[in-house]
Amino acid sequence: MIRTPESITSDLQALLTLVSSDDGPSGGSLVVFRDGECIAEVSTGVAQTQQPWTADTLSLNYSTGKGVLATLVHILVSNDILNYDQPIARYWPDFAANGKQDITLREVLSHQAGLFDIAALVEDSLELLEWQAMLARIASMPVAAPILLGSAAKRRWKKTHAEADSADSPPHYQSVYSALVYGWVIGGLIEYATQLSLAAALRQYLTEPLGIAEACYFGVPTEQLGQVARLPRNFTIPLDRSERASFSEEEKQALFKQFPAYDCWQARAEALGIAKQHDLTAAQINRLYFDPRLMDLEGYKAALSPRGETPVNYHSNEVLQGCIPAANGVASAKALATIYAMLANQGVWQGKALIDAATFAELSRIHVTGMDAVMPAVGSPTEPAIASMQWRLGYHRLPSPCHDTAHAFGHMGYNGSVAWCDPSRGLAVAYVHNHNGTMFSDIRQFALNEAILDLCDG
């Protein structure tokens, strides 16, 4: 039986409130489209002092913005402004330095270009805000050497390559997720190809056509800063300790058991030997989606952090107004869901094709089937031994131990925000929030995604 939008909204409102209950008063917003129509728009908690969350609240979404950047690229390809297989240096001549003359847009979008080492480029995190200086550094950077599989990754590789000769050396990681460098490569390429600033190109080709120009940014305008959700510790009126939710580990485990996906998680955890006949922890549930043992730790550090000791404060006004396209995307849940609703409809929005059919076929095709050195995926229910992010062109698979998501793709952010679509289901989803966690510790997006698939498949 197909659920009505009203019943889906009711169930998702209850679940969003539930998954946020252990970290109040922070909250978030969840928006779901099906076949181009918004069928659910739910919010909970407080975005700023005395400002409740809505579907239009702006939020820092970290790498979820990479999907926005990739979508802009595909529109430019459809307009013959860019080509996946032309060397980037054709558009940006200085990029050819240090052996990069043949690197293509396709290789960068699928994280196979070897351009990820931010630690080798930047020492002081404030340097990330110097747009032109960063483009110059990116243009002159060398290509990193391939990374050999680690011991756990080797064991996983051997399970899926039983026919390989015992004397054969396991290969390198097939991709290395470019957590930060990616944004300057793609952003710089867009500017050189369009002769527009990244902000202007985003507005002209993507956000204005979709009607979301005031709700999606790489660099928040001053007049919009007051609309951006903040972490509770940064509220203008400090919270009293009594206003913050505080759950013990036992209380969190009891909370998880109320999530619709829990029985599936329990069965999969027992089948994989992650947990045996006891209540699941957040770490154990997360292991159903990511397996940190498969990553290359040095590659992870090199991709995510400048060398200096001072971390980037992404929630500061200075960074929110800067341009770090791989990591400081700001958008509302409604805006992100609108972008993915267009993608769920294979590039068409309200009768207008922003992305042509040939380009959509390329962007949605899996380009990487092997392991990633930085994003340690877990296998799917149908192919449990294959641990791959299954990179498309700028998007990864939607991980799920409970559903067939072979056709779903999108991008998650470091903080556990996410936006994705499944063209085979006509679905588009976006979840943003102001909880203080990471995708390796926060299971909210996973609980919501599994519930949405349950509701919409039912």
Side-chain angles (χ1 to χ4, degrees):
M1 180 182 71
I2 297 177
R3 300 286 298 273
T4 66
E6 292 78 14
S7 66
I8 290 173
T9 295
S10 177
D11 285 357
L12 290 180
Q13 180 64 71
L15 180 58
L16 181 63
T17 301
L18 185 66
V19 301
S20 303
S21 61
D22 65 331
D23 196 32
S26 54
S29 183
L30 174 68
V31 177
V32 182
F33 278 74
R34 183 168 61 192
D35 299 328
E37 298 293 331
C38 183
I39 62 168
E41 189 176 296
V42 298
S43 302
T44 192
V46 179
Q48 291 194 34
T49 302
Q50 299 179 335
Q51 183 174 313
W53 268 95
T54 75
D56 296 314
T57 299
L58 297 179
S59 176
L60 171 66
N61 304 313
Y62 293 86
S63 288
T64 298
K66 285 190 178 76
V68 176
L69 198 62
T71 304
L72 173 57
V73 164
H74 303 314
I75 292 172
L76 296 177
V77 170
S78 292
N79 282 275
D80 294 322
I81 296 171
L82 288 173
N83 184 296
Y84 296 131
D85 297 309
Q86 286 290 339
I88 289 174
R90 175 188 172 186
Y91 309 93
W92 182 358
D94 290 348
F95 187 82
N98 269 320
K100 301 193 302 301
Q101 65 275 4
D102 296 323
I103 288 177
T104 65
L105 175 56
R106 187 183 300 273
E107 291 171 313
V108 174
L109 288 169
S110 58
H111 298 279
Q112 295 181 291
L115 302 175
F116 63 88
D117 193 351
I118 192 68
L121 290 181
V122 176
E123 182 166 347
D124 185 342
S125 60
L126 290 179
E127 296 171 20
L128 301 179
L129 298 174
E130 299 170 3
W131 177 251
Q132 292 300 330
M134 285 303 302
L135 292 186
R137 293 184 189 200
I138 295 299
S140 63
M141 76 180 293
V143 179
I147 299 177
L148 286 168
L149 297 181
S151 56
K154 285 180 185 177
R155 291 193 294 271
R156 179 62 62 88
W157 180 83
K158 289 177 180 178
K159 285 183 180 179
T160 57
H161 295 78
E163 76 286 354
D165 189 286
S166 59
D168 289 347
S169 297
H172 304 92
Y173 288 97
Q174 195 175 345
S175 60
V176 184
Y177 174 57
S178 181
L180 284 173
V181 169
Y182 175 101
W184 289 291
V185 176
I186 300 297
L189 172 62
I190 289 169
E191 292 197 340
Y192 275 92
T194 64
Q195 293 298 295
L196 297 169
S197 69
L198 177 58
L202 179 72
R203 189 178 188 100
Q204 178 175 326
Y205 289 99
L206 178 59
T207 61
E208 278 192 344
L210 293 182
I212 56 170
E214 308 306 321
C216 184
Y217 302 102
F218 295 110
V220 180
T222 300
E223 64 273 14
Q224 289 282 67
L225 279 174
Q227 304 305 312
V228 181
R230 305 292 177 147
L231 296 175
R233 68 169 181 259
N234 296 328
F235 285 1
T236 54
I237 301 176
L239 294 172
D240 184 89
R241 184 179 295 272
S242 64
E243 297 179 82
R244 295 302 310 272
S246 178
F247 278 42
S248 67
E249 187 59 39
E250 291 75 16
E251 289 172 322
K252 287 183 179 181
Q253 289 175 291
L255 175 67
F256 301 157
K257 294 175 76 170
Q258 300 178 61
F259 298 170
Y262 189 84
D263 288 345
C264 167
W265 288 340
Q266 184 80 64
R268 291 294 296 160
E270 291 183 6
L272 295 172
I274 293 172
K276 295 291 185 182
Q277 299 180 337
H278 60 73
D279 295 345
L280 296 176
T281 65
Q284 290 168 333
I285 294 169
N286 197 278
R287 274 281 308 279
L288 299 173
Y289 298 86
F290 292 107
D291 188 348
R293 298 173 303 174
L294 300 179
M295 73 164 58
D296 179 83
L297 185 57
E298 292 305 311
Y300 177 86
K301 292 177 181 177
L304 267 77
S305 301
R307 292 192 306 275
E309 296 181 1
T310 304
V312 182
N313 179 6
Y314 284 98
H315 287 272
S316 69
N317 286 348
E318 185 177 25
V319 176
L320 288 172
Q321 293 195 275
C323 189
I324 308 176
N328 80 335
V330 170
S332 69
K334 189 68 170 286
L336 290 171
T338 300
I339 291 170
Y340 279 90
M342 178 269 291
L343 290 169
N345 199 34
Q346 301 189 38
V348 178
W349 182 248
Q350 297 181 345
K352 181 180 179 180
L354 276 71
I355 298 173
D356 63 47
T359 301
F360 186 83
E362 281 300 293
L363 74 87
S364 58
R365 178 171 65 85
I366 295 171
H367 281 64
V368 178
T369 57
M371 284 181 275
D372 189 279
V374 175
M375 292 277 273
V378 172
S380 67
T382 55
E383 295 180 304
I386 299 178
S388 174
M389 292 302 291
Q390 295 185 336
W391 289 109
R392 280 74 167 173
L393 292 181
Y395 316 98
H396 55 68
R397 59 179 270 225
L398 178 70
S400 170
C402 306
H403 295 89
D404 179 1
T405 56
H407 301 289
F409 61 87
H411 217 293
M412 66 182 69
Y414 182 74
N415 67 336
S417 58
V418 69
W420 58 272
C421 68
D422 187 336
S424 70
R425 290 178 167 96
L427 275 181
V429 175
Y431 166 59
V432 304
H433 64 82
N434 62 338
H435 300 297
N436 190 19
T438 77
M439 64 185 188
F440 293 128
S441 64
D442 191 327
I443 66 169
R444 294 180 181 91
Q445 64 159 311
F446 305 132
L448 294 167
N449 288 343
E450 303 294 1
I452 291 165
L453 291 167
D454 274 342
L455 291 168
C456 293
D457 286 354

